[in-house]
Amino acid sequence: MRNKNKTVLLLLLLCGLLAAGCGKEDSGDSSEGASVENEDVKVVSQSDEAEDADADLKAEQETVEEEPQKKGILIALDPGHQGWNVDMSAPEANAPGSDVMKARATSGTSGRFSGIPEYQLNLDISLLVRDRLIEQGYDVIMTREDNETAISNAERAMLANEAGADISVRIHANGSENSSANGALVLVASAQNPYVGGLYDSSYRLGELVLNAYCDATGMQNLGIQTNDTMTGINWSQIPVIILEMGFMTNEQDDLNMADAEYRMRMVDGIVNGINVYYGY
């Protein structure tokens, strides 16, 4: 009887040991499964972080593309003239302290074949040039952004002076009694000008670079740099200043070219290219 009890006890002990071993084996399997699951979650998390980082980098790159690095250069653009309904006939001094008086401004010429007023052409091109310059990192001040602004030639120059502009580019178109006259030219003050003669070298260089680039881009005949000491908007300037006469609105080819949208973009290319070369870009 005592031996039988010992046998029963041994059997119970053996079963207990077997049960404990099975429990540990199950626990090991469960722990290993949890470890694998955690690793899977961690991999997904790293992938998400990588995608977020790529998205942030792309957004930063797009921001850089949309906001070009500023050049720290302020350019004054002066679209010549204004609407014919704006009375600018009152006189103003042709230069600081001068006794010579001229009309404050005029409405300019018009396209003999296109019918486009010069003041509108000047404004259209100036606005396109402004946008392109800003895209390239320049700062721009406009003397007018519509055809109703009443601002005289002297006031245009003083606006650029007071704004601290680095250069002034005055945008005009030409006219002539001779319908065969064609091409582009630049006007600057002479070295002998008693008011702005000291600006001759820098103005000449600016004018030459802009004119050459403009004619290269458009195929317009290059009529060169001409000096003129009677321009009020030049005589009041304190910074390098040019007048670009973009073409003759009294010439059929020039006039129709300057009315064409695709050709206008070439005009803009030329003006901006010339400014870029002036500043070494």
Coordinates of all heavy atoms in Angstrom, one line a residue, residues 14-48:
L14 N 5.6 14.0 -11.8 CA 6.1 14.0 -13.2 C 5.1 14.8 -14.1 O 5.6 15.6 -14.9 CB 6.1 12.5 -13.7 CG 6.6 12.3 -15.2 CD1 8.0 12.9 -15.4 CD2 6.6 10.8 -15.5
C15 N 3.8 14.6 -13.8 CA 2.8 15.4 -14.6 C 3.0 16.9 -14.4 O 2.9 17.7 -15.3 CB 1.4 15.0 -14.2 SG 1.0 13.3 -14.8
G16 N 3.3 17.3 -13.1 CA 3.5 18.7 -12.8 C 4.7 19.3 -13.5 O 4.6 20.4 -14.0
L17 N 5.8 18.5 -13.5 CA 6.9 18.9 -14.2 C 6.7 19.1 -15.7 O 7.1 20.1 -16.4 CB 8.1 18.0 -14.0 CG 8.7 17.9 -12.6 CD1 9.7 16.8 -12.5 CD2 9.3 19.2 -12.3
L18 N 6.0 18.2 -16.3 CA 5.6 18.3 -17.7 C 4.8 19.5 -18.0 O 4.9 20.2 -19.0 CB 4.9 17.0 -18.2 CG 5.8 15.7 -18.3 CD1 4.9 14.5 -18.6 CD2 6.9 15.9 -19.3
A19 N 3.8 19.7 -17.1 CA 2.9 20.9 -17.3 C 3.7 22.2 -17.3 O 3.4 23.1 -18.0 CB 1.8 20.9 -16.3
A20 N 4.6 22.3 -16.3 CA 5.4 23.5 -16.2 C 6.3 23.7 -17.4 O 6.4 24.8 -17.9 CB 6.3 23.4 -14.9
G21 N 6.8 22.7 -18.0 CA 7.6 22.8 -19.2 C 6.8 23.3 -20.4 O 7.3 24.1 -21.1
C22 N 5.6 22.8 -20.5 CA 4.7 23.2 -21.6 C 4.4 24.7 -21.5 O 4.3 25.4 -22.4 CB 3.5 22.4 -21.6 SG 3.8 20.7 -22.1
G23 N 4.2 25.1 -20.2 CA 3.8 26.5 -20.0 C 4.9 27.5 -20.4 O 4.7 28.5 -21.0
K24 N 6.2 27.1 -20.1 CA 7.3 27.9 -20.5 C 7.5 27.9 -22.0 O 7.8 28.9 -22.5 CB 8.6 27.3 -19.8 CG 8.7 27.6 -18.3 CD 10.0 27.0 -17.8 CE 10.1 27.2 -16.3 NZ 11.4 26.7 -15.7
E25 N 7.3 26.8 -22.6 CA 7.4 26.8 -24.1 C 6.4 27.7 -24.8 O 6.7 28.4 -25.7 CB 7.2 25.3 -24.6 CG 7.5 25.2 -26.1 CD 7.5 23.7 -26.5 OE1 7.4 22.9 -25.6 OE2 7.5 23.5 -27.7
D26 N 5.1 27.6 -24.2 CA 4.1 28.5 -24.8 C 4.5 30.0 -24.5 O 4.3 30.8 -25.4 CB 2.7 28.2 -24.1 CG 2.2 26.9 -24.5 OD1 2.7 26.4 -25.5 OD2 1.3 26.3 -23.8
S27 N 5.0 30.3 -23.3 CA 5.4 31.7 -23.0 C 6.4 32.1 -24.0 O 6.4 33.3 -24.4 CB 5.8 31.7 -21.6 OG 6.3 33.0 -21.3
G28 N 7.4 31.3 -24.3 CA 8.5 31.7 -25.2 C 7.9 32.0 -26.6 O 8.3 32.9 -27.2
D29 N 7.0 31.1 -27.1 CA 6.4 31.4 -28.4 C 5.7 32.7 -28.4 O 5.8 33.5 -29.4 CB 5.4 30.3 -28.7 CG 6.2 28.9 -29.0 OD1 7.4 29.0 -29.2 OD2 5.5 27.9 -28.9
S30 N 5.0 33.0 -27.4 CA 4.2 34.3 -27.3 C 5.1 35.5 -27.3 O 4.9 36.5 -28.0 CB 3.3 34.3 -26.1 OG 2.6 35.5 -25.9
S31 N 6.2 35.4 -26.5 CA 7.1 36.5 -26.5 C 7.8 36.7 -27.8 O 8.0 37.8 -28.2 CB 8.2 36.2 -25.4 OG 9.2 37.2 -25.4
E32 N 8.2 35.7 -28.5 CA 8.8 35.8 -29.8 C 7.9 36.4 -30.8 O 8.3 37.3 -31.6 CB 9.3 34.4 -30.3 CG 10.1 34.5 -31.6 CD 10.6 33.1 -32.0 OE1 10.5 32.2 -31.2 OE2 11.0 33.0 -33.2
G33 N 6.6 36.0 -30.8 CA 5.6 36.6 -31.7 C 5.5 38.1 -31.4 O 5.4 38.9 -32.3
A34 N 5.4 38.5 -30.1 CA 5.3 39.9 -29.8 C 6.5 40.7 -30.3 O 6.4 41.8 -30.8 CB 5.2 40.1 -28.3
S35 N 7.7 40.1 -30.2 CA 8.9 40.8 -30.7 C 8.8 41.0 -32.2 O 9.2 42.1 -32.6 CB 10.1 39.9 -30.3 OG 11.3 40.5 -30.8
V36 N 8.4 40.0 -32.9 CA 8.3 40.2 -34.4 C 7.3 41.3 -34.7 O 7.5 42.1 -35.6 CB 7.9 38.8 -35.0 CG1 7.5 39.0 -36.5 CG2 9.0 37.8 -34.8
E37 N 6.1 41.3 -34.0 CA 5.1 42.3 -34.3 C 5.7 43.7 -34.0 O 5.5 44.6 -34.8 CB 3.9 42.1 -33.4 CG 3.0 40.9 -33.8 CD 1.8 40.8 -33.0 OE1 1.1 41.8 -32.9 OE2 1.5 39.8 -32.4
N38 N 6.4 43.9 -32.9 CA 7.0 45.2 -32.6 C 8.0 45.6 -33.7 O 8.0 46.8 -34.0 CB 7.7 45.1 -31.2 CG 6.7 45.0 -30.1 OD1 5.6 45.4 -30.3 ND2 7.2 44.5 -28.9
E39 N 8.8 44.7 -34.2 CA 9.7 45.0 -35.2 C 9.0 45.5 -36.5 O 9.4 46.4 -37.2 CB 10.6 43.8 -35.6 CG 11.6 43.5 -34.5 CD 12.5 42.3 -34.8 OE1 12.3 41.8 -35.9 OE2 13.3 41.9 -34.0
D40 N 7.9 44.8 -36.8 CA 7.1 45.2 -38.0 C 6.5 46.6 -37.8 O 6.6 47.4 -38.7 CB 5.9 44.2 -38.2 CG 6.4 42.9 -38.6 OD1 7.5 42.8 -39.1 OD2 5.6 41.9 -38.5
V41 N 6.0 46.9 -36.6 CA 5.5 48.3 -36.4 C 6.6 49.3 -36.5 O 6.4 50.4 -37.1 CB 4.9 48.3 -35.0 CG1 4.5 49.8 -34.6 CG2 3.6 47.5 -34.9
K42 N 7.8 49.0 -36.0 CA 8.9 49.9 -36.1 C 9.3 50.2 -37.5 O 9.6 51.3 -37.9 CB 10.1 49.3 -35.3 CG 11.2 50.3 -35.1 CD 12.3 49.7 -34.3 CE 13.5 50.7 -34.1 NZ 14.5 50.1 -33.2
V43 N 9.3 49.2 -38.4 CA 9.7 49.4 -39.8 C 8.7 50.3 -40.5 O 9.1 51.2 -41.2 CB 9.7 48.0 -40.5 CG1 9.8 48.2 -42.0 CG2 10.9 47.2 -40.0
V44 N 7.4 50.1 -40.2 CA 6.4 51.0 -40.8 C 6.5 52.4 -40.4 O 6.4 53.4 -41.1 CB 5.0 50.4 -40.4 CG1 3.9 51.4 -40.9 CG2 4.7 49.1 -41.1
S45 N 6.9 52.6 -39.1 CA 7.0 53.9 -38.5 C 8.2 54.6 -39.2 O 8.1 55.8 -39.5 CB 7.3 53.8 -37.0 OG 7.5 55.1 -36.5
Q46 N 9.3 53.9 -39.4 CA 10.5 54.5 -40.1 C 10.2 54.9 -41.5 O 10.6 56.0 -42.0 CB 11.7 53.6 -40.0 CG 12.3 53.4 -38.7 CD 13.4 52.3 -38.6 OE1 13.4 51.5 -39.6 NE2 14.2 52.4 -37.6
S47 N 9.4 54.1 -42.2 CA 9.0 54.4 -43.6 C 8.1 55.7 -43.6 O 8.3 56.5 -44.5 CB 8.2 53.2 -44.1 OG 7.7 53.5 -45.4
D48 N 7.2 55.8 -42.7 CA 6.4 57.0 -42.6 C 7.2 58.2 -42.4 O 7.0 59.3 -43.0 CB 5.3 56.9 -41.5 CG 4.3 55.9 -41.9 OD1 4.2 55.5 -43.1 OD2 3.5 55.4 -41.0

